[in-house]
Amino acid sequence: MKKGKIIFAVMLAAALAASAFGKKEVRMTAAQVIAGKGMIRLMEENIEHPKVALTFDDGPSAKYTPQLLDGLKERGIHATFFLMGKNIVGNEQLVKRIQDEGHLIGNHTYNHVQLNKISEAKAKEEIEKTSNEIYEITGTYPVYLRPPFGAWRKDLELTVTMFPVFWDIDTLDWKSKNVCSVLNIVESNVEDGAIILMHDGYQTSVEAALQIVDLLSGQGYDFVTVDTLVVP
């Protein structure tokens, strides 16, 4: 139920009460007022908000990922990080921090290869090598995989037992490196259930991502990890 409908329902109830008492003045005790506010608050908490998922490719970045994590933690927001195997090496503690702070970790191959341009055996090696790196740090094998360039080999999910995750909004943050451009793309295309593609390797991307959180949270969106929106 939308907030406006809740307020209307309360006003309607008050009007009906007044009608029932005729012209007599209807007074509410302090306890009744508090109870009414509590009911409104409970109803608002049960409102189904639109959902959106922020996803970050190519990390972790020793320089920028910690800044992003700081901002997300401050805002109580969880995101999804699709990690490149070669960037995990030397950043093991950062990967553990991503997990410990409640974010979802996915696979983005080891060397950012285009999976439909290499052999199935090589594709499997790229994916499994990264999954093993993630498992060694987190104790959990990733379930979700973001194919670089959005390129997927037919039936590869059967070979690697992983689920490919694409996107609804490509912010092109890596290309523009412009906060306003990224914000405009998101605001123009966002809708319930949207998966937003970003990267955590640029200062402008970090700034844009946190502004996106502030903007969409103000519009009533809840931020979730992709496993909420995409079920294998």
Side-chain angles (χ1 to χ4, degrees), residues 71-82:
L72 294 175
K73 184 176 182 179
E74 180 183 340
R75 292 162 174 79
I77 297 299
H78 293 142
T80 303
F81 290 81
F82 291 101

Side-chain angles (χ1 to χ4, degrees), residues 63-128:
K63 183 175 183 180
Y64 298 114
T65 304
Q67 296 179 32
L68 178 60
L69 291 173
D70 288 344
L72 294 175
K73 184 176 182 179
E74 180 183 340
R75 292 162 174 79
I77 297 299
H78 293 142
T80 303
F81 290 81
F82 291 101
L83 307 183
M84 283 176 59
K86 68 178 183 180
N87 287 338
I88 292 174
V89 179
N91 287 313
E92 290 84 358
Q93 289 302 311
L94 188 50
V95 174
K96 191 66 171 67
R97 179 186 171 186
I98 293 172
Q99 180 193 44
D100 290 345
E101 294 186 0
H103 305 287
L104 182 66
I105 294 177
N107 187 319
H108 197 46
T109 77
Y110 199 87
N111 293 295
H112 203 269
V113 295
Q114 188 166 334
L115 294 171
N116 63 351
K117 296 294 184 180
I118 58 178
S119 68
E120 182 177 299
K122 183 62 178 176
K124 182 179 179 182
E125 178 186 338
E126 281 277 336
I127 294 167
E128 290 185 345

Side-chain angles (χ1 to χ4, degrees), residues 204-222:
T204 48
S205 294
V206 173
E207 294 173 6
L210 298 180
Q211 289 190 37
I212 288 169
V213 170
D214 294 339
L215 174 69
L216 298 186
S217 293
Q219 295 178 4
Y221 280 87
D222 285 340

Side-chain angles (χ1 to χ4, degrees), residues 33-170:
V33 171
I34 293 172
K37 289 181 178 179
M39 183 177 68
I40 293 174
R41 184 164 55 250
L42 180 62
M43 293 172 71
E44 288 179 339
E45 289 174 354
N46 290 326
I47 293 174
E48 185 68 23
H49 294 281
K51 295 178 175 59
V52 67
L54 268 180
T55 67
F56 299 93
D57 288 6
D58 295 358
S61 162
K63 183 175 183 180
Y64 298 114
T65 304
Q67 296 179 32
L68 178 60
L69 291 173
D70 288 344
L72 294 175
K73 184 176 182 179
E74 180 183 340
R75 292 162 174 79
I77 297 299
H78 293 142
T80 303
F81 290 81
F82 291 101
L83 307 183
M84 283 176 59
K86 68 178 183 180
N87 287 338
I88 292 174
V89 179
N91 287 313
E92 290 84 358
Q93 289 302 311
L94 188 50
V95 174
K96 191 66 171 67
R97 179 186 171 186
I98 293 172
Q99 180 193 44
D100 290 345
E101 294 186 0
H103 305 287
L104 182 66
I105 294 177
N107 187 319
H108 197 46
T109 77
Y110 199 87
N111 293 295
H112 203 269
V113 295
Q114 188 166 334
L115 294 171
N116 63 351
K117 296 294 184 180
I118 58 178
S119 68
E120 182 177 299
K122 183 62 178 176
K124 182 179 179 182
E125 178 186 338
E126 281 277 336
I127 294 167
E128 290 185 345
K129 189 175 180 181
T130 300
S131 289
N132 288 335
E133 291 275 357
I134 293 171
Y135 176 79
E136 287 297 320
I137 299 168
T138 66
T140 303
Y141 281 104
V143 174
Y144 298 92
L145 184 145
R146 167 68 56 74
F149 313 105
W152 186 246
R153 289 182 65 88
K154 183 180 180 181
D155 297 330
L156 184 59
E157 67 273 15
L158 303 178
T159 303
V160 297
T161 61
M162 297 191 73
F163 196 79
V165 175
F166 301 95
W167 55 85
D168 300 296
I169 302 174
D170 186 351

